[in-house]
Amino acid sequence: MFLNATSLEKLTLVAQDGEMGKIKDLYLDDENYTIRYLTIASEKWFPDQIIYLSPSAISRIDFDKKVIEVNHTREDLREGAGLRDEKELDPEKEAEFADRFNWSQYWAGESVWGEQDTPLDSESEAASQQTAVSTPDRSNHLISVNHMKGVFSHADVFAGEEHAGYITDVLIEEETWIIRYFVVSTGSWSTHAFTLISPDWIEEANWSEDQIQVSLTLEGIEKGPLYQKNKAVTRSFEADLYQSYGKPAYWK
């Protein structure tokens, strides 16, 4: 199942001792294209603070009840996971948060979540046996999803030298929190209002300029299967997409 960032932002985060507010932003790393943090801003519960939350801290997402359940208390997060400004998050803070809350050290291992393929549950046996916390290097960078898909600023996608569109959302694999697709608005050049672009197809990314170049052509995108926004993406649709673009499937 895929989660999309826009839908996640509408859910209420609930700690062990009550509601906390809604997601302010999501941050992905530009090496593995995986969501590493959710941020929470709530004047009621966290005045003058932005709370960082690893997917490791999420115990359940319930779209029927419109909540994301978190396995920490508000007080613990207020005391140990808050910053005054999002620009203050640095490798030392990441290590401090991982140590305090027993979150996955995604930077310490060969898998997408360090030693695991999915975020660690802080109460799991694997988490309790986590090795000493190391400090992440900065070969990767954390990128704001809201900035990438913003209304007034967004990341542009180029197929070769031609402008293919801009990012309006991301589709996130629920178990791993890997971004499998960017949802790209194609504008007026295509009969497809939106198309899906995998991070695996990126040839070059310049996030300082909010631009990515992918190994596709406009003609190829136009011939691909029609993506209907907000409709569930099935494995059959994915298979058609990858076959149409001549790309190896990530699930094989």
Side-chain angles (χ1 to χ4, degrees):
M1 176 180 175
F2 294 116
L3 312 169
N4 68 65
T6 301
S7 294
L8 285 174
E9 291 163 4
K10 297 175 182 178
L11 305 183
T12 299
L13 289 141
V14 180
Q16 292 173 337
D17 53 352
E19 292 185 4
M20 294 188 291
K22 296 185 184 298
I23 293 173
K24 179 178 184 289
D25 205 346
L26 300 130
Y27 283 84
L28 62 96
D29 81 78
D30 64 355
E31 188 172 291
N32 292 297
Y33 290 94
T34 301
I35 299 296
R36 299 306 186 185
Y37 298 101
L38 303 78
T39 57
I40 312 162
S42 170
E43 287 300 317
K44 180 178 181 179
W45 300 113
F46 312 111
D48 301 320
Q49 282 197 79
I50 296 167
I51 300 299
Y52 276 80
L53 197 70
S54 166
S56 301
I58 294 174
S59 55
R60 190 165 72 101
I61 299 175
D62 191 325
F63 280 99
D64 292 331
K65 294 182 178 179
K66 299 182 179 180
V67 298
I68 299 175
E69 295 179 358
V70 176
N71 54 28
H72 300 298
T73 66
R74 286 192 303 245
E75 186 62 29
D76 283 345
L77 294 170
R78 184 186 298 118
E79 291 294 321
L83 297 174
R84 297 291 180 182
D85 190 296
E86 285 167 287
K87 295 178 182 178
E88 294 177 6
L89 184 66
D90 56 27
E92 288 72 25
K93 279 294 181 185
E94 288 194 77
E96 180 184 320
F97 293 165
D99 188 34
R100 182 181 182 105
F101 295 106
N102 210 15
W103 291 343
S104 171
Q105 297 181 62
Y106 68 85
W107 56 86
E110 299 299 322
S111 295
V112 71
W113 285 97
E115 299 297 335
Q116 304 290 323
D117 293 329
T118 61
L120 293 177
D121 186 318
S122 64
E123 297 180 357
S124 70
E125 181 179 352
S128 67
Q129 296 175 356
Q130 182 167 280
T131 57
V133 173
S134 63
T135 302
D137 63 29
R138 262 296 166 258
S139 58
N140 68 313
H141 300 86
L142 297 175
I143 308 294
S144 160
V145 169
N146 272 355
H147 180 77
M148 179 189 296
K149 68 179 187 67
V151 175
F152 300 108
S153 65
H154 45 250
D156 289 298
V157 179
F158 290 85
E161 299 298 320
E162 299 179 283
H163 187 250
Y166 60 89
I167 295 172
T168 62
D169 211 340
V170 297
L171 299 188
I172 305 160
E173 192 172 66
E174 184 174 8
E175 288 189 359
T176 64
W177 287 78
I178 292 172
I179 292 177
R180 288 298 181 194
Y181 301 103
F182 299 117
V183 180
V184 176
S185 173
T186 56
S188 59
W189 71 265
S190 175
T191 58
H192 299 191
F194 298 94
T195 191
L196 298 184
I197 301 292
S198 168
D200 292 339
W201 307 336
I202 294 177
E203 290 185 321
E204 185 177 351
N206 185 341
W207 293 114
S208 63
E209 297 292 332
D210 292 327
Q211 294 181 0
I212 62 172
Q213 187 170 10
V214 297
S215 57
L216 298 171
T217 64
L218 296 190
E219 182 182 8
I221 293 172
E222 178 68 10
K223 290 179 178 179
L226 178 64
Y227 168 68
Q228 294 177 276
K229 195 175 182 182
N230 298 324
K231 184 177 180 180
V233 175
T234 64
R235 181 51 54 85
S236 175
F237 178 87
E238 289 187 279
D240 289 345
L241 184 72
Y242 276 76
Q243 183 176 10
S244 175
Y245 293 166
K247 303 295 185 183
Y250 68 85
W251 60 87
K252 292 183 179 179

